[in-house]
Amino acid sequence: MRALRDFIADGQALSRHRPWPRAVVGRDVWERAIVLLQEERATLLALWGERDAVHLALADDTPPLILSFACEGGRYPSVGQRHAPAIRLERALHDLTGIVPEGLADMRPWLDHGRWPVRHPLGERQRGRALPPYAFLANEGESLHQIPVGPVHAGIIEPGHFRFTASGETVVRLEQRLGYTHKGVEALMAGRSLGGAARLAGRVSGDSTVSYAYAFARAVEAALDIEVPPRAVWLRALMAELERLANHFGDIGAICNDAAFALLHAQCGLLREHVLRAADACFGHRLMMDRVVPGGVAADLAPEGGQAIGGLLTHVRRHFPELIELYDNTASLQDRTAGTGVLCAELARRFGAGGYVGRASGRGVDARRRPGYPPYDRLAFDVPVRNEGDVDARVWIRIREVEQSVALVEQLLHGLPAGPIRGAAPAAAGEVREGAALVEGFRGDVFAWVRVAADGRVERCHLRDPSWFQWPLLEAAIEGNIVADFPLCNKSFNCSYSGHDL
Amino acid sequence: MRRLLFKNLLRKPLTEPAPQADAGARAQLAGAADLAQRPPLGRTIAIREIDAGSCNGCELEIHALGNVLYDLERFGIRFVASPRHADVLLVTGPVSANMREGLARTYDATPHPKWVVAVGECARNGGAFAGGYACLGGVAAVLPVDLHIDGCPPSPTALLEGLLALLERVENGAATAAAQELAPNG
Ligand code: SF4
């Protein structure tokens, strides 16, 4: 990416984009970027569009970089055709803007199910129209049968459709169809005040509400050069770690439940409830919605908050180890999780899979470390990595991350600086500004990009959920497993539907 | 494992006392249309949950109802996998256009008598997602709603209070409602 960066230094970089450069590039640089992705010398962070341009965010071990391609004639050279992780992004981009990825073989609509009153809501709007039935990929072979599942599932979970092709009990192919929860968030963002937009960002995926609000706030603050008071910086991290704890407890329990081990489900459910109650006592909302806002945080730690967290930490330290031991020593449970739903390291790397999905398959990337953001530069924590890539490894990554988050919460509480929790209200800059941010949620890195208009309102905002790069890997991981193990594999990935469908 | 089970056997249950049925929910249900046509269901209700485009926040709190502290099943309320087995549809989300058909078909697959409960700000009026091209702006745009439980998301306690009011209502059905109407002063 260095070569790319040097090339951009030639004067195409836009000065009002923070903290990483964005540059409008021609076809040759765009193509070079695709080659970098293809050769895995850079990771795809995000790909999104607007009326007449597409933007590509890339990362390697240097800070991220954003390339923009002006689409004359509404086309651009497809990234997905040569780098599979971009395929769904490009299909979604086409649905939303009408811009065509030149050369992309799979042009089936992705988010657009033919139910909207408009087509291309973020581009040249047209009247909506019905679509022919979705063309699932063909499967040929003797004695194959199909099992369609969803969008309404059996449990209390989000909607999506899974089309299994099975040979006997063995899954030959899983094809996902998503988009059912598409709410048009990006169109709703346009024209909102920063406060209103932050509220919306916190509702893209409810389980990651802190992380989304955090990423959005950081992008806005980068764009507008806003200084966040130290206490707010630390409180945000405290909320983010509580969110991680709550979700990991919930996930560990739910995975065990899908392996028919209800005892751990009950115990982990209790731990999760403890975290949510502590969050409520500290910040006045169980999920901590609307607590992170551009410029700081909306709620200071309540006077009894420190005690609530202290109680939580004691409880977790006392009870979690025996649950880990139980998980580790129950052969019937291990029998279900070990060796099930293996995701190979190569695919995890190519897709730039974040969170426990990547880390269970050898990819030890964590946005808190790289590109990194305060206060994590002043905190001690490890990023656990395993190489087995199976359900068991994804459980273990969560277990280790719980331990890390417990230690982080303690450090955050001890080191919490005094002072205000919110700076002056973000003022309109009088010019168009842009900012980007990457924040590590429990599921992986959440990417936020925002363009703030001269009047201080959001002009365009793009939020990319880590699930975009995890969902396709679930299709790969389930291959060759039995149908009955799908819930287990699915839960161990726990991808977001709402965050993905946006 | 035995050690853990044994320890749990010896200590007192963690389940917390039941909250009161919510008065507001009672009032909403008393006003439900076609009450007379829906015979009482008895002591239990089976719920089919439908996410009609929620952010997943409401699901998290609905899930929490099953943990040992709230223990929803002690009231005879349980979640079922199929709408064919359901008395109540618990619907979340602003109803995305892409889920409209799924929601309507699930409703049609649910046998009579049935009740619809809309959970969360989104399900009431679209919440933060109202006004866009992709959402219908609440459950009432597609189905007749008997009860709204508000909150973003509603806490498990709020959900429980609403569901207990519903349980009261479906248990006694139109008979009580009629009796109440006959004796307005007491
Ligand atoms: S009401 Fe709130 S928590 Fe529930 S789905 Fe809507 S935004 Fe999410």
Side-chain angles (χ1 to χ4, degrees):
Chain A
M1 223 157 89
R2 201 150 289 126
L4 219 51
R5 207 174 291 279
D6 293 346
F7 196 87
I8 284 157
D10 285 354
Q12 294 161 303
L14 305 172
S15 59
R16 299 300 347 158
H17 193 283
R18 303 276 169 80
W20 311 309
R22 173 166 91 83
V24 180
V25 300
R27 192 170 276 265
D28 53 335
V29 179
W30 187 264
E31 296 274 357
R32 268 196 242 187
I34 298 175
V35 173
L36 276 186
L37 290 171
Q38 229 179 339
E39 293 176 351
E40 290 178 23
R41 288 192 284 145
T43 314
L44 175 63
L45 272 189
L47 178 65
W48 70 103
E50 45 192 324
R51 184 178 289 264
D52 47 14
V54 291
H55 310 289
L56 173 68
L58 306 158
D60 61 3
D61 26 339
T62 59
L65 181 67
I66 293 151
L67 305 180
S68 301
F69 186 85
C71 303
E72 275 156 39
R75 313 173 79 78
Y76 66 101
S78 164
V79 180
Q81 192 50 29
R82 277 178 284 165
H83 186 59
I87 294 176
R88 287 181 178 178
L89 292 165
E90 292 193 330
R91 289 168 66 189
L93 196 159
H94 177 249
D95 288 347
L96 296 176
T97 65
I99 297 177
V100 177
E102 263 166 37
L104 184 67
D106 185 356
M107 284 293 288
R108 291 173 298 168
W110 183 240
L111 299 179
D112 185 352
H113 291 193
R115 308 294 172 119
W116 306 335
V118 294
R119 278 182 81 186
H120 313 319
L122 298 178
E124 217 51 79
R125 285 193 173 205
Q126 295 169 8
R127 282 260 311 274
R129 81 288 175 236
L131 286 171
Y134 191 74
F136 286 94
L137 301 177
N139 292 292
E140 284 172 24
E142 251 178 70
S143 63
L144 294 182
H145 63 283
Q146 288 204 335
I147 311 171
V149 179
V152 178
H153 296 290
I156 304 169
I157 53 169
E158 300 181 83
H161 182 87
F162 300 119
R163 184 66 58 102
F164 296 95
T165 303
S167 169
E169 279 205 82
T170 310
V171 178
V172 176
R173 172 189 274 155
L174 161 65
E175 191 179 353
Q176 296 153 353
R177 175 152 199 236
L178 303 174
Y180 290 94
T181 72
H182 178 77
K183 295 181 272 294
V185 168
E186 291 183 289
L188 289 169
M189 280 284 186
R192 288 220 176 177
S193 67
L194 292 177
R199 233 180 93 78
L200 190 53
R203 284 162 178 75
V204 168
S205 182
D207 51 18
S208 304
T209 175
V210 172
S211 309
Y212 267 92
Y214 198 168
F216 176 79
R218 282 189 56 79
V220 168
E221 288 149 10
L224 300 180
D225 295 320
I226 296 172
E227 187 88 39
V228 180
R231 187 173 174 83
V233 170
W234 284 61
L235 285 175
R236 285 176 176 186
L238 179 59
M239 295 182 202
E241 296 309 320
L242 288 175
E243 180 174 272
R244 198 180 323 278
L245 280 174
N247 282 302
H248 280 358
F249 285 138
D251 278 2
I252 295 169
I255 294 169
C256 294
N257 197 42
D258 278 344
F261 198 69
L263 176 59
L264 267 174
H265 182 228
Q267 296 285 340
C268 288
L270 191 58
L271 287 173
R272 176 181 162 86
E273 183 67 24
H274 272 293
V275 180
L276 298 185
R277 289 185 178 188
D280 196 20
C282 291
F283 303 109
H285 191 287
R286 286 163 52 91
L287 304 179
M288 297 167 284
M289 264 180 179
D290 305 324
R291 296 312 187 255
V292 178
V293 292
V297 293
D300 203 345
L301 186 66
E304 64 280 9
Q307 209 185 349
I309 291 183
L312 170 72
L313 294 183
T314 315
H315 185 87
V316 172
R317 288 214 169 99
R318 183 172 315 146
H319 295 287
F320 196 51
E322 59 187 9
L323 300 185
I324 303 174
E325 200 190 309
L326 183 59
Y327 175 78
D328 204 16
N329 293 331
T330 305
S332 61
L333 186 55
Q334 292 284 319
D335 182 49
R336 294 291 307 278
T337 59
T340 306
V342 176
L343 171 68
C344 68
E346 193 204 331
L347 273 179
R349 199 174 57 238
R350 194 184 315 152
F351 276 72
Y356 41 77
V357 172
R359 291 196 272 274
S361 294
R363 188 171 184 270
V365 176
D366 189 317
R368 292 174 293 178
R369 277 276 161 72
R370 210 180 73 204
Y373 47 93
Y376 290 99
D377 47 351
R378 305 203 19 219
L379 302 169
F381 66 103
D382 288 331
V383 178
V385 180
R386 287 179 75 112
N387 295 309
E388 297 87 341
D390 54 2
V391 173
D392 182 50
R394 288 185 284 277
V395 172
W396 275 109
I397 293 291
R398 287 173 168 101
I399 291 174
R400 294 291 169 243
E401 289 189 1
V402 162
E403 293 164 354
Q404 294 302 317
S405 289
V406 165
L408 279 170
V409 167
E410 192 152 61
Q411 293 175 53
L412 285 161
L413 212 50
H414 275 298
L416 191 63
I421 55 163
R422 208 166 171 173
E431 60 175 352
V432 176
R433 299 277 191 95
E434 295 173 341
L438 211 52
V439 160
E440 189 71 22
F442 85 99
R443 185 180 274 125
D445 52 334
V446 174
F447 175 81
W449 180 85
V450 65
R451 177 186 293 139
V452 185
D455 64 358
R457 289 183 171 269
V458 171
E459 188 178 309
R460 176 83 176 87
C461 174
H462 177 67
L463 300 161
R464 193 272 298 138
D465 195 88
S467 304
W468 279 98
F469 303 122
Q470 296 169 340
W471 275 119
L473 298 175
L474 177 60
E475 289 187 346
I478 188 67
E479 204 186 304
N481 286 260
I482 57 171
V483 178
D485 275 343
F486 178 71
L488 190 57
C489 295
N490 190 22
K491 201 73 228 176
S492 76
F493 271 67
N494 190 18
C495 300
S496 169
Y497 299 69
S498 184
H500 165 282
D501 296 349
L502 215 58
Chain B
M1 175 159 67
R2 250 181 257 137
R3 191 158 41 96
L4 194 69
L5 285 173
F6 196 63
K7 229 165 57 184
N8 289 342
L9 263 182
L10 292 180
R11 77 173 176 212
K12 280 201 294 205
L14 295 166
T15 309
E16 295 171 340
Q20 290 292 315
D22 182 60
R26 272 194 190 131
Q28 278 189 60
L29 287 163
D34 73 330
L35 211 56
Q37 277 113 57
R38 286 186 276 186
L41 292 173
R43 275 294 302 139
T44 74
I45 48 179
I47 302 179
R48 171 63 255 194
E49 199 270 347
I50 307 165
D51 175 336
S54 94
C55 79
N56 189 28
C58 283
E59 272 64 32
L60 294 174
E61 295 297 51
I62 293 172
H63 250 293
L65 290 175
N67 75 34
V68 293
L69 296 175
Y70 302 106
D71 190 18
L72 186 69
E73 297 214 4
R74 71 184 136 145
F75 303 106
I77 306 175
R78 68 205 159 90
F79 289 97
V80 292
S82 166
R84 304 261 186 231
H85 304 155
D87 312 307
V88 173
L89 298 179
L90 197 65
V91 190
T92 64
V95 188
S96 59
N98 289 352
M99 267 310 284
R100 181 201 190 116
E101 188 188 340
L103 176 61
R105 283 171 66 168
T106 309
Y107 180 78
D108 292 341
T110 311
H112 264 291
K114 53 189 162 188
W115 303 75
V116 176
V117 180
V119 171
E121 210 178 280
C122 286
R124 182 182 272 280
N125 56 22
F129 307 103
Y133 64 89
C135 296
L136 305 180
V139 179
V142 184
L143 304 180
V145 176
D146 296 301
L147 172 65
H148 286 278
I149 302 178
D150 285 325
C152 182
S155 66
T157 308
L159 286 164
L160 210 47
E161 288 165 353
L163 290 176
L164 288 177
L166 179 68
L167 186 64
E168 248 176 41
R169 169 60 55 181
V170 301
E171 195 181 333
N172 304 316
T176 333
Q180 278 166 357
E181 271 158 33
L182 284 177
N185 297 322

